[in-house]
């Protein structure tokens, strides 16, 4: 598969520096930019349009951005440092579509250390600082996986999914409608510690990179990303941070080295970069958050979803409860909107029905009849099916899939 991939696409880390180092580093960046036509700097503004630093990036995108920041916080406490934002695939291959994998980090480290050494000795080596943001992602190329719908149709279905309790959907002012509306090609959910975003990659590149030579390759790509910030990353790192190659145990170094580390305030990163960008972590994060929003189920027409429920021969009250949930989501055009119409025991029954349907691999969001499409598989399970010839699945899920397969064969 060329475009379909899982991993991460961007991450960042922050190096705190002292006041004198900030001034020296500012001069080093200006000197390097003056002698390098490919690097440009521009001011960064904070609240009330006050300048809080400078960003340096490459005209021919190299996949690294440097943000030199000096901001005053509470009690006049000033935080100074440099934030480094890296897009590994852009850095290595000028590729803005495919997700990066853990084995890409070795090349990223070499390129970063080489570039940082040219700019200033103040910049620490790669891996010395804690990661403070990681964008885990899954790229689904609908054409590659044989999913029978357009990107616009897939986004339409996804936008009717569940909104986790801690999240709100982002909206922006519309000049035409004079009110705040969500992006038509994105389902962007944000909380204090993370962001969940489904979006059509082609439309996003058209807006941000209109002259990108390979933009047409993203025409059928839907990206799901989980932008995880420091609090989330810290919880992910518990129990595995000591596995990092950047972690140095104090009993492994001499007293002189230990003294030098204390004098220079060199500490082990609390959230090491390498352990947070493994396939094991990205798979776990993507799977958990994607299923929270769109669930495990496949998409069917309302008539077929009803029929599948009926083939289970449940008790009459359970069958009616499940079909009512399907009809409510269809009528309300989404799970979240259906929730707002119910309270108390009715809402509890509705949530229970959503769990039951999820276990049956039936998505409560149904396909509009006008599309003339009867079945659209779950995008994450489509990815797993393409990746593994014999995917290991729980017994309950295997039975639900077998039930659906038998239903679809009977209706051919």
């Amino acid at each position: 598969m060329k475009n379909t991939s899982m991993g991460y696409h961007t991450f960042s880390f922050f190096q705190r520096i002292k006041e004198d180092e900030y001034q020296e580093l500012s001069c080093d960046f200006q000197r390097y930019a003056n002698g390098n036509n490919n690097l440009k700097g521009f001011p960064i503004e904070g609240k009330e349009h006050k300048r809080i630093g400078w960003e340096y990036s490459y005209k021919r995108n190299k996949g690294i951005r440097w943000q030199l920041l000096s901001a005053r916080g509470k009690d006049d406490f000033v935080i100074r440092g440099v934030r480094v934002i890296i897009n590994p695939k852009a850095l290595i291959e000028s590729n803005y579509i495919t997700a990066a994998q853990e084995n890409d980090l070795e090349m990223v480290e070499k390129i970063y250390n080489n570039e940082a050494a040219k700019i200033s000795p103040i910049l620490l080596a790669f891996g010395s600082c804690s990661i403070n943001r990681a964008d885990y992602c899954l790229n689904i190329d609908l054409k590659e996986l044989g999913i029978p719908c357009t990107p616009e149709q897939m986004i339409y279905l996804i936008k009717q999914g569940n909104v986790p309790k801690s999240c709100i959907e982002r909206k922006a002012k519309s000049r035409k409608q004079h009110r705040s509306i969500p992006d038509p090609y994105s389902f962007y959910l944000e909380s204090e510690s993370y962001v969940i975003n489904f979006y059509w990659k082609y439309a996003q590149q058209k807006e941000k990179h209109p002259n990108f030579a390979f933009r047409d390759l993203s025409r059928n790509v839907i990206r799901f990303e989980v932008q995880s910030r420091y609090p989330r990353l810290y919880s992910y790192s518990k129990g595995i941070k000591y596995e990092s190659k950047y972690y140095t145990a104090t009993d492994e170094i001499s007293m002189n080295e230990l003294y030098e580390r204390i004098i220079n305030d060199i500490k082990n990163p609390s959230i090491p970069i390498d352990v947070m960008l493994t396939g094991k972590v990205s798979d776990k994060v993507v799977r958990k958050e994607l299923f929270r929003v769109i669930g495990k189920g496949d998409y069917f027409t309302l008539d077929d979803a009803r029929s599948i429920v009926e083939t289970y021969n449940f008790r009459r009250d359970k069958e009616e409860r499940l079909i009512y949930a399907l009809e409510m989501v269809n009528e309300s055009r989404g799970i979240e909107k259906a929730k707002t119409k119910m309270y108390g025991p009715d809402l509890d029954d509705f949530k229970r029905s959503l769990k039951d349907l999820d276990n049956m691999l039936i998505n409560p969001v149904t396909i509009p009849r006008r599309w003339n499409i009867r079945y659209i598989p779950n995008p994450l399970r489509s990815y797993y099916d393409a990746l593994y010839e014999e995917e290991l699945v729980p017994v309950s899920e295997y039975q639900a899939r077998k039930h659906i397969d038998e239903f679809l064969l009977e209706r051919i």
Side-chain angles (χ1 to χ4, degrees), residues 71-109:
R72 190 176 299 277
K74 294 181 180 178
D75 301 323
D76 287 335
F77 181 73
V78 179
I79 299 176
R80 298 182 182 87
V82 56
R83 179 189 294 138
V84 183
I85 303 165
I86 297 178
N87 183 321
K89 282 298 184 182
L91 180 66
I92 299 171
E93 306 170 5
S94 297
N95 184 329
Y96 293 86
I97 302 174
T98 307
Q101 311 291 326
E102 58 185 286
N103 55 13
D104 290 315
L105 271 186
E106 184 177 351
M107 182 59 69
V108 170
E109 182 173 9

Side-chain angles (χ1 to χ4, degrees), residues 62-189:
K62 200 167 186 174
I64 306 178
R65 287 187 290 140
W66 319 78
Q67 294 182 339
L68 196 58
L69 302 167
S70 178
R72 190 176 299 277
K74 294 181 180 178
D75 301 323
D76 287 335
F77 181 73
V78 179
I79 299 176
R80 298 182 182 87
V82 56
R83 179 189 294 138
V84 183
I85 303 165
I86 297 178
N87 183 321
K89 282 298 184 182
L91 180 66
I92 299 171
E93 306 170 5
S94 297
N95 184 329
Y96 293 86
I97 302 174
T98 307
Q101 311 291 326
E102 58 185 286
N103 55 13
D104 290 315
L105 271 186
E106 184 177 351
M107 182 59 69
V108 170
E109 182 173 9
K110 288 180 181 178
I111 296 173
Y112 173 82
N113 285 339
N114 182 58
E115 196 68 13
K118 294 177 184 177
I119 296 171
S120 173
I122 295 173
L123 295 172
L124 294 177
F126 187 86
S128 301
C129 303
S130 288
I131 189 171
N132 61 6
R133 173 173 162 174
D135 294 356
Y136 302 105
C137 69
L138 168 67
N139 292 327
I140 292 290
D141 189 309
L142 302 176
K143 191 173 182 179
E144 279 185 352
L145 295 181
I147 296 177
C149 67
T150 66
E152 295 96 325
Q153 289 171 332
M154 180 58 79
I155 288 293
Y156 176 85
L157 295 174
I158 289 171
K159 286 170 75 68
Q160 295 182 57
N162 179 55
V163 177
K165 192 174 182 180
S166 60
C167 295
I168 58 171
E169 185 176 5
R170 185 177 69 175
K171 298 180 181 180
K173 276 279 188 183
S174 169
R175 293 180 180 179
K176 293 182 179 179
Q177 299 188 35
H178 304 290
R179 61 187 178 90
S180 294
I181 60 171
D183 187 309
Y185 301 122
S186 169
F187 191 40
Y188 191 102
L189 309 174

Side-chain angles (χ1 to χ4, degrees), residues 44 61 75 225 231 269:
I44 301 173
N61 198 307
D75 301 323
E225 68 181 20

Side-chain angles (χ1 to χ4, degrees), residues 84-297:
V84 183
I85 303 165
I86 297 178
N87 183 321
K89 282 298 184 182
L91 180 66
I92 299 171
E93 306 170 5
S94 297
N95 184 329
Y96 293 86
I97 302 174
T98 307
Q101 311 291 326
E102 58 185 286
N103 55 13
D104 290 315
L105 271 186
E106 184 177 351
M107 182 59 69
V108 170
E109 182 173 9
K110 288 180 181 178
I111 296 173
Y112 173 82
N113 285 339
N114 182 58
E115 196 68 13
K118 294 177 184 177
I119 296 171
S120 173
I122 295 173
L123 295 172
L124 294 177
F126 187 86
S128 301
C129 303
S130 288
I131 189 171
N132 61 6
R133 173 173 162 174
D135 294 356
Y136 302 105
C137 69
L138 168 67
N139 292 327
I140 292 290
D141 189 309
L142 302 176
K143 191 173 182 179
E144 279 185 352
L145 295 181
I147 296 177
C149 67
T150 66
E152 295 96 325
Q153 289 171 332
M154 180 58 79
I155 288 293
Y156 176 85
L157 295 174
I158 289 171
K159 286 170 75 68
Q160 295 182 57
N162 179 55
V163 177
K165 192 174 182 180
S166 60
C167 295
I168 58 171
E169 185 176 5
R170 185 177 69 175
K171 298 180 181 180
K173 276 279 188 183
S174 169
R175 293 180 180 179
K176 293 182 179 179
Q177 299 188 35
H178 304 290
R179 61 187 178 90
S180 294
I181 60 171
D183 187 309
Y185 301 122
S186 169
F187 191 40
Y188 191 102
L189 309 174
E190 54 188 338
S191 73
E192 291 184 359
S193 61
Y194 66 101
V195 167
I196 295 173
N197 189 13
F198 290 86
Y199 59 95
W200 182 18
K201 187 63 179 168
Y202 179 79
Q204 183 251 7
Q205 285 194 326
K206 186 176 182 180
E207 179 183 349
K208 293 188 175 182
H209 307 285
N211 299 318
F212 179 49
F214 304 104
R215 184 163 56 85
D216 279 346
L217 294 175
S218 67
R219 186 173 292 276
N220 296 297
V221 175
I222 299 293
R223 171 173 282 176
F224 168 67
E225 68 181 20
V226 184
Q227 300 170 10
S228 301
R229 299 173 182 140
Y230 191 92
R232 272 290 173 109
L233 293 170
Y234 187 81
S235 66
Y236 296 156
S237 69
K238 289 181 179 178
I240 62 172
K241 65 181 181 180
Y242 303 112
E243 299 171 11
S244 170
K245 71 175 184 178
Y246 303 118
Y247 181 88
T248 305
T250 54
D251 58 358
E252 295 177 357
I253 59 177
S254 67
M255 289 301 295
N256 288 336
E257 289 175 310
L258 179 59
Y259 179 73
E260 186 177 341
R261 287 171 68 90
I262 293 172
I263 292 297
N264 294 311
D265 196 28
I266 299 174
K267 302 173 183 176
N268 282 313
S270 57
I271 312 177
I273 291 174
D274 56 342
V275 297
M276 299 314 301
L277 298 178
T278 62
K280 183 178 179 180
V281 173
S282 61
D283 185 274
K284 181 179 178 181
V285 173
V286 167
R287 184 182 180 94
K288 177 184 176 182
E289 301 302 337
L290 186 143
F291 284 159
R292 284 177 72 200
V293 177
I294 69 171
K296 300 175 184 177

